[in-house]
Amino acid sequence: DAGITQSPRHKVTETGTPVTLRCHQTENHRYMYWYRQDPGHGLRLIHYSYGVKDTDKGEVSDGYSVSRSKTEDFLLTLESATSSQTSVYFCAIRGQGADTIYFGEGSWLTVV
Amino acid sequence: GQQVMQIPQYQHVQEGEDFTTYCNSSTTLSNIQWYKQRPGGHPVFLIQLVKSGEVKKQKRLTFQFGEAKKNSSLHITATQTTDVGTYFCAGAIQGAQKLVFGQGTRLTINP
């Protein structure tokens, strides 16, 4: 594995509550990504980071924010969770100079 | 924006039959990558193709990258139950910091 840890792995939360997912890496990779996976949509990029405090939006960023205050941690926050954000969330990392990415094991989020 | 279309979305085969999934990009790619996700698991990198017309093999899996670097295919010969899962292609654009994934092809196999 690529030294990626996601937490929590499973969470059930109520509509309107804030939720933060954490991605932790141990290998000092520059690039980190948050994807969501839903049936029929494959993997869709939410936000990504190309360095500490450097982040950018992906294709489905509405309703999500991210922060990266140190290299090893990339946080994804749902400010006010909605049922449409029920999904599996994958963190991924990529080393500089490489194109391939490595995924964490996923975080299953259910918003009721 | 860039799109990567992958077909079919689902494929069910009898064990021993062949399987192929196809990817098409709206723009020229610098490389294309393939990932496999087992049920309940996370996507795992399989291979990267970089050169126009490139063909690579991994045992029963054959990967091709088109001459125009806009399409790719993954072919599995004589499927086995261990091949079950969803196969994703992902395209990279020169200078871009992110990959664009196809929707995936979910392969199920009747033993």
Side-chain angles (χ1 to χ4, degrees):
Chain A
D1 276 337
I4 307 169
T5 305
Q6 290 186 230
S7 60
R9 294 291 315 281
H10 299 270
K11 186 173 181 66
V12 179
T13 192
E14 294 186 348
T15 298
T17 60
V19 176
T20 295
L21 305 180
R22 179 181 183 237
C23 179
H24 178 79
Q25 56 139 334
T26 59
E27 300 189 8
N28 207 35
H29 290 290
R30 179 182 177 190
Y31 296 95
M32 299 185 75
Y33 305 84
W34 277 108
Y35 288 88
R36 62 177 288 175
Q37 185 174 30
D38 306 286
H41 292 279
L43 292 155
R44 292 183 292 174
L45 183 63
I46 305 171
H47 281 280
Y48 66 101
S49 170
Y50 45 96
V52 174
K53 299 192 189 306
D54 291 323
T55 65
D56 205 351
K57 296 179 180 180
E59 59 183 306
V60 289
S61 58
D62 288 348
Y64 301 95
S65 62
V66 290
S67 66
R68 192 167 178 201
S69 59
K70 45 187 178 177
T71 301
E72 57 264 37
D73 288 326
F74 191 32
L75 304 180
L76 176 71
T77 298
L78 291 65
E79 300 291 345
S80 178
T82 67
S83 58
S84 65
Q85 293 175 312
T86 292
S87 187
V88 182
Y89 292 86
F90 287 101
C91 174
I93 56 93
R94 175 168 74 94
Q96 190 166 359
D99 288 320
T100 56
I101 65 175
Y102 296 91
F103 287 87
E105 296 189 341
S107 294
W108 275 254
L109 177 67
T110 301
V111 183
V112 298
Chain B
Q2 182 202 7
Q3 287 190 330
V4 175
M5 304 302 293
Q6 189 174 354
I7 58 169
Q9 190 173 354
Y10 302 98
Q11 184 77 59
H12 180 77
V13 300
Q14 290 289 127
E15 187 174 15
E17 293 181 338
D18 293 355
F19 159 76
T20 305
T21 175
Y22 301 90
C23 260
N24 284 287
S25 170
S26 56
T27 57
T28 302
L29 303 171
S30 61
N31 69 74
I32 194 157
Q33 299 162 36
W34 287 90
Y35 294 77
K36 177 183 178 181
Q37 183 179 25
R38 296 185 185 276
H42 59 281
V44 174
F45 172 76
L46 291 177
I47 207 161
Q48 176 177 281
L49 304 171
V50 179
K51 299 176 182 177
S52 169
E54 188 170 15
V55 178
K56 287 188 175 180
K57 293 190 176 184
Q58 290 180 349
K59 297 183 180 179
R60 295 176 294 103
L61 278 62
T62 302
F63 304 84
Q64 295 187 344
F65 200 11
E67 294 290 340
K69 300 183 73 172
K70 286 187 173 183
N71 58 73
S72 182
S73 65
L74 158 60
H75 179 81
I76 302 178
T77 303
T79 55
Q80 299 175 359
T81 55
T82 53
D83 296 325
V84 164
T86 300
Y87 293 84
F88 292 96
C89 62
I93 296 178
Q94 187 69 37
Q97 298 169 330
K98 53 190 177 182
L99 294 175
V100 178
F101 280 82
Q103 297 91 331
T105 297
R106 183 181 173 192
L107 173 65
T108 55
I109 298 174
N110 206 22

